[in-house]
Amino acid sequence: MNDDPIKTVPYKRPVLSSDQILEKSAEYYDFLNLRRSVREFEEKDVPKEVIENLIKTASTAPSGAHKQPWTFVAVNSKELKKKIRAAAEAEEMDFYNNRATEEWLKDLAPLGTNWSKPFLENAPWLIVVFKKVYDELPEGRAKNYYVQESVGIASGFLISAIHNAGLVTLTHTPSPMNFLSDILERPANEKPFLLLPVGYPSSHAQVPDLERKPLDEVSVFL
Ligand code: IYR
């Protein structure tokens, strides 16, 4: 283990005027406010280099003790996507028919989701985010910290990077999702966290006409 303090370098940032800061903050809000979870994809491929850039962006996220406790598994293989869809739909069928409470089904009803997940095969890429609950190093097991928070933040970066690239995604969380570890052959220290299909929206993609809570409902200024 290396206990030396990390070397420091001068902090570099884009230097903006206060007017530019105001403009940028408003622009970024307008831009991200256009993001929607899209469930219908065009069967059009996205180059691997694009996916690499998205993953590199996600991996710039802050993490507990800079452990970067994540692995992004990018799946383009038709065969693997087919296997993932079959396993996810089996879980979802059981969820919608047996496991979901009345209240949960009632909350989901306006969104119109069901057990059928064609996007798991239609989207050109599935990015499966794994959290590393601990690190397996040559010298043995090492602890990771704030894993849930760190991987959640990295996933947020990933979603905004996908939107920024003009592509779409949705946050799919089949439950339980251990089948992803088996199909993707991940080691025991990695647990599936989130599945993001990535691609172009289908030209007839529809999204629910949702309203976002206004600022005064989601914030308190003191
Ligand atoms: N995992 C299921 C159910 C589901 C749960 C929530 I919370 C959602 O916001 C949407 C769906 C599914 O993917 O259909």
Side-chain angles (χ1 to χ4, degrees):
M1 197 82 71
N2 183 359
D3 294 334
D4 295 342
I6 203 161
K7 169 171 101 72
T8 65
V9 288
Y11 176 57
K12 286 204 192 72
R13 68 179 174 107
V15 179
L16 304 174
S17 69
S18 21
D19 282 351
Q20 287 172 312
I21 289 173
L22 180 58
E23 197 180 313
K24 278 267 211 186
S25 64
E27 264 176 24
Y28 197 59
Y29 162 61
D30 286 340
F31 169 70
L32 268 196
N33 196 26
L34 292 174
R35 186 207 57 80
R36 300 303 309 267
S37 291
V38 174
R39 293 182 160 75
E40 295 155 90
F41 289 79
E42 200 75 66
E43 290 197 41
K44 176 177 170 178
D45 207 7
V46 169
K48 183 173 177 217
E49 194 180 351
V50 172
I51 303 299
E52 288 172 347
N53 288 335
L54 300 175
I55 293 174
K56 283 195 281 183
T57 305
S59 204
T60 66
S63 63
H66 192 50
K67 294 280 193 153
Q68 304 164 89
W70 44 65
T71 302
F72 300 92
V73 180
V75 182
N76 187 224
S77 146
K78 279 200 172 6
E79 194 189 315
L80 284 176
K81 286 191 290 183
K82 197 179 176 126
K83 277 193 189 167
I84 291 173
R85 176 181 180 182
E89 286 185 336
E91 293 293 1
E92 296 298 338
M93 188 91 84
D94 185 44
F95 170 79
Y96 282 93
N97 293 333
N98 307 312
R99 282 187 288 115
T101 59
E102 281 301 310
E103 184 181 8
W104 199 338
L105 290 176
K106 205 163 138 278
D107 282 337
L108 289 179
L111 301 174
T113 58
N114 60 30
W115 62 268
S116 164
K117 305 295 172 195
F119 52 76
L120 294 175
E121 263 187 287
N122 299 343
W125 291 92
L126 305 179
I127 302 182
V128 187
V129 185
F130 284 83
K131 61 179 183 191
K132 288 183 157 177
V133 285
Y134 56 89
D135 272 340
E136 200 69 84
L137 303 175
E139 58 271 32
R141 232 176 236 205
K143 221 176 137 27
N144 285 333
Y145 307 93
Y146 298 100
V147 170
Q148 200 72 2
E149 292 82 350
S150 303
V151 181
I153 296 167
S155 299
F157 277 34
L158 181 55
I159 292 166
S160 70
I162 293 167
H163 180 64
N164 178 58
L167 300 172
V168 295
T169 186
L170 69 131
T171 50
H172 182 49
T173 49
S175 156
M177 47 180 161
N178 304 337
F179 66 86
L180 291 167
S181 304
D182 299 337
I183 296 175
L184 302 173
E185 299 180 21
R186 300 314 303 163
N189 64 323
E190 295 185 10
K191 299 288 171 222
F193 182 79
L194 185 64
L195 191 164
L196 296 169
V198 181
Y200 293 88
S202 123
S203 54
H204 46 74
Q206 295 278 325
V207 294
D209 188 14
L210 301 178
E211 293 267 332
R212 293 192 161 109
K213 289 181 181 174
L215 182 62
D216 65 356
E217 266 186 51
V218 300
S219 61
V220 177
F221 288 77
L222 302 171

